[in-house]
Amino acid sequence: MGNNIQAPRGTYDVLPDQSAKWQEIEAKIIELCNLYQYKEIRTPIFEHTELFQRGVGDTTDIVTKEMYTFQDRGDRSLTLRPEGTASVVRSFVENKLFGLPDQPVKLFYTGPMFRYERPQAGRMRQFVQFGVEAIGSKDPAIDAEVISLAMELYRSVGLKRLRLVLNSLGDTESRIAHREALVKHFKPRINEFCSDCQTRLEKNPLRILDCKVDRDHPLMATAPSLADYLNEESQAYFDQVKMYLDELGIEYVIDPNLVRGLDYYNHTAFEIMSDAEGFGAITTLCGGGRYNGLVEDLGGPESPGIGFAMSIERLLLALEMEKVEIGQSQNLEVYVIAMDDASKKKAFGIIKELRSNGISADMDYTGRKLKAQMKSADRKGAAYVIVMGETEMASGQVALKEMATGEQQTVAFAEIAGTITKKKSLEE
């Protein structure tokens, strides 16, 4: 046999006992996005590398350290998507969605993303994100709507220990004023910081505040806060977002140090954290914010946007920590047991008939004895069992046995599906 091949590091299989949970979450996503009128968009899993360099920002950790980039056979540089927003905005521009009569264009996506990082709990190299983008409006009410959609999804699957953290990154003018203050603050002692931060000082000093290595440096605690540099317009915008959240009854905490890891954010920035016990150090479930300028950066007209992305894996982890059960698998309705070859042929036809009527049915494909097949029916949680043998073949009737009660009733071959359908409707 040689060495067994395993899944690549940082990837995993979703096995059948888990996939029901995924399906339930995905169904909730579709249902919720329908209620909010967000329409699904599906973009390619790989894009031109330049899209992420321009869209995500070439000083970000994602672009400098975490991208899966490869040359294709035509010597083009392609990258597996590390996040969803840049792709959605590229599509928005390329397909001229800014020309649609109804703005903002409200979109959602769900699918795998790829980042080369050290795998840890809830952080994988291939992970699945659900995200929302509303592009084409700079109304603070849409910020509140996007945040409420994220909160609503967590609540709808049964999570309770949630904390919404909010900040404003201000407009360009506020950002520049704050940036100058940061440079002034860090520059005299920048040699005490890691090499990444030394690079960030010139390119993007805001990212220093996000540094994992130097977070305990005394200068971090005293760094000038963006809140002190918000101009009147940015402050007014932020106040409106908070007013709309209050109107929705959504509680939030203001954190002046919250910066998002991507270059394109401005104004509203938010994260949703899990306060569940035992969640570990990284408690962020969802992050998002406003990006007025990304559409222009990617060649489109001015179209302000806001969105969020959440990891489905982290959502599942939070459910586990709060001990919330979802995705109970669908049990089998009918198990048909055949005693000989002639009966097996007939049983096979009956199973098809049942399935055609929307009844889940199964049988044995390994030639086991009656007792072993009964055990199998039990393990699969079958609601009914039918045994087919010479007697049944001769009479054209079967005994339909209800597993929960042990009750049996005699039913003609042609009536099996109808009888079960009737029983199901009575139960409901």
Side-chain angles (χ1 to χ4, degrees):
M1 281 291 287
N3 291 340
N4 288 351
I5 297 176
Q6 295 177 326
R9 185 163 183 231
T11 67
Y12 60 95
D13 302 303
V14 179
L15 298 175
D17 64 340
Q18 290 296 309
S19 56
K21 296 181 180 184
W22 285 81
Q23 288 166 0
E24 186 171 323
I25 292 169
E26 285 155 7
K28 283 268 198 308
I29 285 171
I30 291 169
E31 185 187 336
L32 194 59
C33 288
N34 262 329
L35 292 175
Y36 279 71
Q37 282 296 291
Y38 284 72
K39 308 288 187 202
E40 188 180 19
I41 182 169
R42 302 188 184 196
T43 63
I45 284 185
F46 57 89
E47 299 263 9
H48 292 292
T49 304
E50 186 196 358
L51 171 67
F52 302 115
Q53 288 166 342
R54 274 168 61 186
V56 177
D58 46 18
T59 63
T60 58
D61 280 0
I62 291 179
V63 171
T64 53
K65 300 176 182 167
E66 295 171 5
M67 295 205 311
Y68 276 94
T69 297
F70 59 96
Q71 302 294 118
D72 74 357
R73 289 170 187 245
D75 219 26
R76 288 170 288 258
S77 178
L78 298 172
T79 295
L80 298 180
R81 60 184 186 194
E83 56 98 55
T85 303
S87 299
V88 171
V89 172
R90 190 255 325 131
S91 180
F92 177 87
V93 172
E94 186 176 335
N95 296 291
K96 300 190 171 48
L97 301 186
F98 48 78
L100 293 175
D102 290 313
Q103 301 286 326
V105 176
K106 305 205 295 188
L107 304 165
F108 81 90
Y109 61 84
T110 157
M113 307 289 164
F114 304 84
R115 290 188 197 174
Y116 189 85
E117 51 186 344
R118 201 165 55 85
Q120 47 189 316
R123 274 218 167 165
M124 305 302 282
R125 290 178 172 178
Q126 176 179 325
F127 54 99
V128 177
Q129 274 188 348
F130 157 55
V132 150
E133 316 290 353
I135 310 174
S137 162
K138 51 171 190 278
D139 183 340
I142 196 91
D143 299 31
E145 177 179 274
V146 162
I147 292 170
S148 77
L149 194 159
M151 291 295 282
E152 195 52 47
L153 179 69
Y154 288 127
R155 291 212 182 99
S156 74
V157 291
L159 291 177
K160 294 189 172 64
R161 309 286 305 275
L162 300 166
R163 185 167 84 252
L164 169 62
V165 182
L166 213 55
N167 191 20
S168 170
L169 303 178
D171 60 11
T172 313
E173 187 184 61
S174 311
R175 293 275 288 263
I176 290 171
H178 179 233
R179 185 194 167 115
E180 286 169 1
L182 281 177
V183 172
K184 207 166 142 187
H185 176 75
F186 285 114
K187 201 165 189 172
R189 295 173 62 182
I190 193 68
N191 59 344
E192 298 168 21
F193 285 77
C194 72
S195 60
D196 281 343
C197 281
Q198 295 182 21
T199 314
R200 287 170 186 145
L201 181 71
E202 295 310 323
K203 286 188 170 171
N204 192 351
L206 193 64
R207 307 262 315 118
I208 296 178
L209 301 177
D210 221 12
C211 181
K212 308 283 182 284
V213 184
D214 296 316
R215 58 171 160 216
D216 298 327
H217 193 287
L219 280 190
M220 288 294 212
T222 57
S225 164
L226 190 49
D228 302 330
Y229 290 85
L230 290 187
N231 56 19
E232 239 173 276
E233 214 176 321
S234 296
Q235 189 58 57
Y237 189 93
F238 195 40
D239 290 342
Q240 292 247 300
V241 173
K242 291 186 284 191
M243 177 199 78
Y244 283 116
L245 287 172
D246 293 339
E247 180 59 35
L248 296 174
I250 293 175
E251 290 177 22
Y252 52 84
V253 186
I254 307 285
D255 176 3
N257 287 331
L258 172 68
V259 294
R260 300 287 306 131
L262 309 178
D263 281 358
Y264 49 60
Y265 287 108
N266 43 42
H267 287 296
T268 315
F270 68 93
E271 286 187 3
I272 299 172
M273 317 283 198
S274 167
D275 278 342
E277 300 295 316
F279 202 96
I282 307 169
T283 57
T284 307
L285 296 176
C286 168
R290 184 164 267 291
Y291 44 87
N292 301 346
L294 183 57
V295 175
E296 293 97 302
D297 286 350
L298 296 180
E302 188 188 343
S303 303
I306 174 151
F308 68 73
M310 64 171 66
S311 146
I312 305 292
E313 289 86 351
R314 300 186 76 73
L315 166 49
L316 287 164
L317 199 60
L319 286 167
E320 212 177 300
M321 294 305 159
E322 289 197 33
K323 299 184 173 48
V324 180
E325 281 296 329
I326 65 161
Q328 305 307 330
S329 64
Q330 290 297 314
N331 278 337
L332 174 64
E333 291 175 283
V334 186
Y335 193 87
V336 184
I337 295 176
M339 304 298 285
D340 52 53
D341 286 347
S343 317
K344 184 176 176 183
K345 181 168 173 276
K346 186 66 189 168
F348 201 61
I350 286 174
I351 282 180
K352 180 195 176 295
E353 183 65 17
L354 289 168
R355 290 172 178 165
S356 301
N357 282 278
I359 297 164
S360 72
D362 208 353
M363 67 189 280
D364 176 67
Y365 293 104
T366 54
R368 286 178 292 190
K369 299 271 187 290
L370 173 68
K371 197 174 163 191
Q373 290 195 44
M374 283 304 282
K375 273 194 177 149
S376 181
D378 209 34
R379 270 198 307 275
K380 288 169 178 273
Y384 300 97
V385 168
I386 294 169
V387 179
M388 310 264 306
E390 284 173 16
T391 322
E392 288 77 14
M393 290 299 284
S395 69
Q397 292 180 319
V398 295
L400 180 64
K401 180 181 180 183
E402 198 167 337
M403 293 292 272
T405 59
E407 283 174 25
Q408 299 203 17
Q409 75 184 84
T410 308
V411 186
F413 288 171
E415 311 280 302
I416 299 173
T419 307
I420 291 170
T421 305
K422 204 175 289 171
K423 282 177 172 289
K424 274 167 69 174
S425 64
L426 286 174
E427 282 165 22
E428 284 162 13

